[in-house]
């Protein structure tokens, strides 16, 4: 039997936005710590010794973390600006899209940070291989498993 709620459209939008905010709180904490770490790297003595490739990896990870921080905090500004304007449906929909962008940029920042550290500590091969495994893990956990469940649930409802 499918899980259902008996709620009005307004109640559904309020619940959805509250659930989005809970998700954002979790993501924001991690991305802010990662971003802070990435911001401090250039001030370390060994940073001057990195290769051009490592510098590019660093820049991509830093920009991805910045985009993630901005997109994960944008719903706060959006809600504050549109508060009591009767646009909760837009806020919920737009926040969902912002979160998707934030998650993509977050995974790039995570992988970039790990690849950079492993490239410096171990080898380029180990770094790239680990980055590939992390990307695959993110795709499976963040995209394939949820889409599979969504497809199965839709099929079950159709029958």
């Amino acid at each position: 039997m499918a899980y259902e709620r008996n709620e009005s459209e307004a109640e559904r939008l309020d619940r959805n936005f509250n659930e989005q905010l809970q998700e954002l709180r979790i993501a924001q904490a991690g991305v802010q710590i990662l971003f802070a770490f990435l911001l401090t790297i250039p001030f370390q003595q060994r940073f001057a010794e990195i290769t051009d490739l490592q510098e590019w990896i660093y820049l991509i990870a830093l920009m991805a973390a910045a985009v993630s921080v901005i997109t994960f905090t944008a719903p706060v500004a959006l809600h504050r600006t549109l508060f009591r304007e009767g646009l909760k449906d837009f806020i919920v929909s737009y926040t969902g899209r912002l979160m998707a962008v934030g998650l993509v940029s977050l995974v790039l920042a995570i992988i970039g940070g790990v690849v950079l550290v492993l490239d410096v500590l171990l080898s380029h091969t180990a770094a790239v291989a680990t980055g590939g495994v992390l990307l695959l893990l993110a795709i499976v956990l963040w995209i394939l498993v949820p889409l599979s469940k969504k497809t199965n649930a839709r099929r079950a409802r159709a029958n």
Side-chain angles (χ1 to χ4, degrees):
M1 181 170 174
Y3 177 76
E4 293 183 24
R5 291 181 183 266
N6 186 17
E7 60 190 354
S8 69
E9 181 67 13
E11 289 170 329
R12 184 185 65 77
L13 288 170
D14 288 341
R15 179 181 50 81
N16 286 347
F17 189 60
N18 283 328
E19 289 177 8
Q20 287 175 330
L21 292 178
Q22 292 301 326
E23 293 169 14
L24 285 168
R25 284 185 184 105
I26 293 167
Q28 279 178 342
V31 74
Q32 287 171 340
I33 292 166
L34 177 59
F35 188 49
F37 164 73
L38 290 170
L39 286 174
T40 63
I41 289 178
F43 301 102
Q44 306 301 314
Q45 272 188 323
R46 288 189 64 191
F47 188 77
E49 300 169 15
I50 66 171
T51 66
D52 288 344
L53 176 62
Q54 291 167 342
E55 188 173 308
W56 274 106
I57 294 168
Y58 169 75
L59 291 172
I60 291 167
L62 179 67
M63 291 301 106
V67 168
S68 192
V69 167
I70 290 168
T71 57
F72 283 150
T73 56
V76 175
L78 178 71
H79 182 262
R80 184 57 24 225
T81 304
L82 299 179
F83 186 65
R84 294 188 178 160
E85 294 294 329
L87 296 169
K88 183 66 72 89
D89 55 341
F90 171 75
I91 293 170
V92 169
S93 173
Y94 191 65
T95 296
R97 291 192 301 272
L98 287 169
M99 291 170 67
V101 171
L103 287 171
V104 169
S105 58
L106 175 58
V107 81
L108 290 174
I110 291 168
I111 292 170
V114 170
V115 168
L116 176 64
V117 169
L118 293 180
D119 199 44
V120 169
L121 293 178
L122 300 176
S123 71
H124 186 69
T125 303
V128 171
T130 303
V133 169
L134 291 174
L135 179 60
L136 181 61
L137 181 64
I139 289 169
V140 168
L141 296 178
W142 292 8
I143 299 169
L144 296 181
V145 170
L147 287 179
S148 172
K149 289 303 283 182
K150 186 177 188 176
T151 301
N152 291 342
R154 285 184 177 171
R155 282 186 190 141
R157 281 194 303 269
N159 292 330

